[in-house]
Amino acid sequence: TIRNANGEAHATLTITVTALTCAAQDGWSETDSGDTAYRACASDKEGEWYRVCQSANPPTWGTAVDNCQYIKPVVTYPSSLLTLQRNQQTTITPTTQFYISTWSIAGSLPVGLSFNQANGVISGTPTEVTELVTVTISASNPDKVTQVTLSIAVDIYTCPAEGVWPETEAGQSVTRDCDNVALKEGSLSR
């Protein structure tokens, strides 16, 4: 209301406030027009995931852009150089980090060993003495690949000769007759 010597007048003023933000939606936080909202990638991924609040009247959300990729797998075997004992059961298990969807191997393992394509484990009983062989193991996910090179040999482990006992392959027994059969019966094993 306005008053002066000539009288008074009345006017009504209406003010409309329009939010210039994109409302929170599907896990995206409220964001100002023209700004970008970011979300974290899943724990086994890296990169960025974002969505732009487009300048319009009213502002609208643009399409989400997912630039998240799986992190490169980390694969470690107990050693990169392995000497195994012939006829001795063995299991060589890798330690891993991050998502791995496929395993593969290039090269031939010693006879008696096999590679598990589900988890990267090498296991079995090597049955032949083998000079050093090299294999390359690949651990992959849809975005990245890690390769590990292993060198594997198979040898005969022996217990050295000692006194009357001959050198003997580990895991094997040696039996001999008693020294004085006139006083003792049977045999000795080691």
Side-chain angles (χ1 to χ4, degrees):
T1 302
I2 299 174
R3 291 188 190 128
N4 64 22
N6 295 326
E8 67 181 51
H10 298 283
T12 303
L13 177 63
T14 304
I15 299 174
T16 303
V17 177
T18 303
L20 295 177
T21 61
C22 291
Q25 180 186 52
D26 299 329
W28 296 96
S29 60
E30 181 178 66
T31 302
D32 291 335
S33 176
D35 283 349
T36 304
Y38 292 91
R39 288 173 70 175
C41 294
S43 63
D44 56 354
K45 292 186 174 186
E46 59 189 356
E48 63 182 13
W49 188 12
Y50 65 91
R51 192 173 186 190
V52 176
C53 178
Q54 297 174 341
S55 298
N57 192 4
T60 57
W61 280 113
T63 303
V65 177
D66 184 350
N67 286 331
C68 297
Q69 291 190 337
Y70 285 103
I71 298 171
K72 185 175 181 177
V74 175
V75 177
T76 307
Y77 282 86
S79 175
S80 61
L81 178 60
L82 301 160
T83 301
L84 307 177
Q85 180 178 336
R86 183 181 74 166
N87 297 327
Q88 177 77 31
Q89 164 63 33
T90 190
T91 300
I92 305 163
T93 304
T95 301
T96 64
Q97 287 181 296
F98 308 117
Y99 177 61
I100 298 171
S101 55
T102 58
W103 290 87
S104 62
I105 187 168
S108 297
L109 290 169
V111 174
L113 296 179
S114 62
F115 179 74
N116 186 324
Q117 292 186 338
N119 58 19
V121 171
I122 297 170
S123 62
T125 303
T127 56
E128 296 179 9
V129 172
T130 306
E131 294 297 319
L132 207 58
V133 297
T134 300
V135 295
T136 301
I137 296 169
S138 298
S140 311
N141 61 41
D143 299 316
K144 298 193 173 94
V145 177
T146 293
Q147 291 187 321
V148 177
T149 300
L150 300 178
S151 297
I152 303 171
V154 178
D155 205 353
I156 298 174
Y157 290 4
T158 59
C159 296
E162 182 181 329
V164 296
W165 298 100
E167 179 179 70
T168 307
E169 185 175 340
Q172 301 297 313
S173 297
V174 174
T175 302
R176 56 184 294 276
D177 292 331
C178 294
D179 290 335
N180 187 339
V181 290
L183 301 175
K184 297 179 185 175
E185 290 182 355
S187 59
L188 299 170
S189 294
R190 178 173 162 185

